[in-house]
Amino acid sequence: MFECLHSTHVFTSPNDDNGYDISDYRGIMKEFGTMKDFDELLKGMHQRKIKLVLDLVVNHSSDEHVWFRESRKSRTNPYRNYYHWWNAEKGKPSHRYSFFDVEGSAWKYDSTTDAYYLHYFSEKQPDLNWENPKVRKEIYDMMHFWFKKGVDGFRMDVISAISKDTTFPELPAKYKGDYIAYYAEGPYLHKYLKEMNEKILSKYDVISVAEGLGVTTETAHKFVDQERKELDMLYHFEGMGLGYLPGQFRQMDPKGKSLTDFKKIYSKWDSVFAKKGWGTIYLGNHDQPRMVTRWGNDAPKYREASSKMLTTFLLTMRATPYYYFGDELGMNNIKFDKIEDYRDIETINYYRKLQNEGGDLDYFLQGQKISARDNGRTPFQWDDSKNAGFTKGKPWLKVNPNYKKINVAAQEKDPDSVLNYFRKMVRLRKSLPELIYGKYELLDRDNEKVYAYTRALNKKKVLVLLNFSTSLTKFEIPKTSGSLNVLMNNIASLNIKNNIVTLEPYQALLIRLK
Ligand code: NOJ
């Protein structure tokens, strides 16, 4: 069986948004090496039976891409229609929200041609005009280029937003101000995905996974229903905002987050693919803080147990787990105190926006300690040498000072480390088809401390018990005919009496019931 590696942002980029602003889709960012290095990497991975999935960032390019440099030169430039322009004599275009803009506006005025261009993300990330067939052809040719090299698939960055109503009307009332929902329902989105499938994806043995911004349980099948011949998988965002204040930028809700809501979300998404299609599951990636800080507990006493518990969750759900590097070590948020430590445009520009509006900057920085993306982007911790063995150069972000203790070298030596637990869980999942394909059934839905479910296939059943709390918690194991067989336990102790298990804080147990 192949493993998969998803490698992001390796294309040439001025790095306004950590590589999500591409200036050459066929070049490798100089910080990462050369095309020769890439070819060697791909070959080496294939020799080791690891697949390589690249990031396809084609909702927008960099403003330093030659297409945009040409496009902005004149209104009659052959590349003009590669992007979305709005001539200023028509008046101001109707508002579009930008994720990274200091003023929150996705239209940037460009005096060279007296026109505005559209950028859903930063002003250095102009949106490509998918309604132009030439743009689509350029993108498909570029995909061919990478597939011919042998890459194994694409993760498709904000692919849900590629199609736009180019009359740019006021936001229709039915979206109630929700721009993300609107962006994900462009008029020709599915036409383009079908076209891409027909022209490119269907010609190769590859996988595609959509970043499903704005995709809901109602719309998911439109992307991944096999009969529609569009994409293979998507990942949703519903879980990611849990515990944030509604409408606020990654700000923790002082009321906290509830486990029952968490269960509701993941159970609902399981049911979407129960009969048809296939889901994904993740708790961390380069756009999220560290999994253990956000969903577990990174206090020294609980960091290891809760990291392992979350790993147990990810590897026992019916979906393809997307597991973010560093989480297998239990790396946690760095929690910067000052804005100067951040490199992420999202945090920096939101800070500036608040500054201009006279907002509460201290409150914002406090929240970012939990939620900022840079928390998940600090250098990987290999060993206890300088810069955690990550580089001899100067890393772009500070190394988490806990690297002396939390690193691969130390965890390799410890059979009970978070890393070795991760390995055991991967092996277990691969060896038990019920953990991959088995039916998921939620138990004790209203329990605010324990997430319990079973996975069953062909008369085999495994119970998963996850204590998401800091308290000792009793749970009654459903009666079985045979004896209970504990397949996995993330901590040293086990307390089961008469089918009642007393779970330690953050304990995770896998118990065979049949
Ligand atoms: C989603 C990517 O994952 C994120 O890192 C990036 O900032 C935006 N899309 C814009 O490309």
Side-chain angles (χ1 to χ4, degrees), residues 17-18 20-21 55 57 60 100 121 125 155 157-158 211 235 237 285-287 344-346 373 377:
D17 177 24
N18 276 102
Y20 283 90
D21 47 318
D55 218 313
V57 188
H60 44 268
F100 300 156
F121 293 88
Q125 294 168 295
R155 171 259 184 204
D157 193 67
V158 280
E211 183 192 26
Y235 63 91
F237 281 75
N285 64 34
H286 68 288
D287 289 332
D344 180 9
I345 186 169
E346 182 178 89
R373 305 195 296 184
R377 297 174 172 187

Side-chain angles (χ1 to χ4, degrees), residues 142-171:
M142 175 270 284
M143 291 171 77
H144 264 306
F145 169 84
W146 289 102
F147 284 144
K148 277 191 201 129
K149 266 189 180 290
V151 308
D152 303 290
F154 277 114
R155 171 259 184 204
M156 303 189 174
D157 193 67
V158 280
I159 198 76
S160 46
I162 53 176
S163 174
K164 277 113 188 164
D165 176 345
T166 52
T167 64
F168 295 105
E170 290 295 328
L171 184 76

Side-chain angles (χ1 to χ4, degrees), residues 35-269:
M35 189 59 91
K36 206 165 145 263
D37 296 327
F38 177 85
D39 292 339
E40 194 182 318
L41 172 76
L42 183 62
K43 191 164 158 231
M45 287 175 69
H46 284 171
Q47 278 163 354
R48 293 166 179 80
K49 298 201 182 312
I50 303 172
K51 294 211 179 206
L52 178 65
V53 175
L54 283 180
D55 218 313
L56 186 77
V57 188
V58 287
N59 173 67
H60 44 268
S61 72
S62 161
D63 67 340
E64 295 181 33
H65 195 291
V66 64
W67 298 336
F68 191 75
R69 284 197 272 120
E70 285 298 317
S71 185
R72 79 188 328 173
K73 279 186 184 160
S74 78
R75 289 187 178 186
T76 52
N77 188 285
Y79 288 93
R80 186 66 170 181
N81 282 337
Y82 272 45
Y83 295 88
H84 295 285
W85 290 96
W86 182 272
N87 293 339
E89 64 272 17
K90 293 201 283 180
K92 269 200 143 189
S94 56
H95 181 68
R96 287 293 178 270
Y97 169 75
S98 159
F99 293 89
F100 300 156
D101 190 74
V102 179
E103 268 141 37
S105 166
W107 290 107
K108 169 84 182 165
Y109 178 73
D110 197 41
S111 59
T112 320
T113 56
D114 190 27
Y116 299 84
Y117 66 84
L118 185 73
H119 62 92
Y120 282 178
F121 293 88
S122 94
E123 60 184 59
K124 284 185 67 61
Q125 294 168 295
D127 282 40
L128 282 159
N129 179 8
W130 273 71
E131 322 312 319
N132 178 353
K134 282 196 198 147
V135 168
R136 304 205 297 278
K137 181 158 184 322
E138 298 263 19
I139 292 167
Y140 302 153
D141 287 350
M142 175 270 284
M143 291 171 77
H144 264 306
F145 169 84
W146 289 102
F147 284 144
K148 277 191 201 129
K149 266 189 180 290
V151 308
D152 303 290
F154 277 114
R155 171 259 184 204
M156 303 189 174
D157 193 67
V158 280
I159 198 76
S160 46
I162 53 176
S163 174
K164 277 113 188 164
D165 176 345
T166 52
T167 64
F168 295 105
E170 290 295 328
L171 184 76
K174 72 169 185 172
Y175 293 99
K176 301 193 184 100
D178 183 351
Y179 279 94
I180 295 179
Y182 176 68
Y183 291 172
E185 291 184 1
Y188 299 110
L189 165 64
H190 292 286
K191 179 179 157 213
Y192 301 153
L193 294 180
K194 279 196 172 66
E195 183 181 83
M196 184 200 277
N197 184 299
E198 188 202 318
K199 291 194 190 304
I200 314 292
L201 299 172
S202 61
K203 309 264 192 266
Y204 300 91
D205 180 19
V206 292
I207 72 143
S208 55
V209 53
E211 183 192 26
L213 193 73
V215 179
T216 65
T217 47
E218 281 81 43
T219 56
H221 278 282
K222 287 194 179 169
F223 291 79
V224 296
D225 182 338
Q226 291 292 291
E227 282 152 33
R228 289 172 60 92
K229 297 198 169 59
E230 295 186 23
L231 304 176
D232 297 321
M233 285 180 274
L234 67 86
Y235 63 91
H236 65 86
F237 281 75
E238 220 182 315
M240 292 299 111
L242 200 70
Y244 290 155
L245 286 169
Q248 297 231 19
F249 178 73
R250 298 186 192 250
Q251 286 299 328
M252 306 311 294
D253 186 335
K255 290 206 273 334
K257 51 191 187 301
S258 102
L259 180 65
T260 49
D261 287 344
F262 184 87
K263 295 185 208 179
K264 214 185 279 168
I265 292 173
Y266 291 102
S267 302
K268 182 171 76 168
W269 276 92

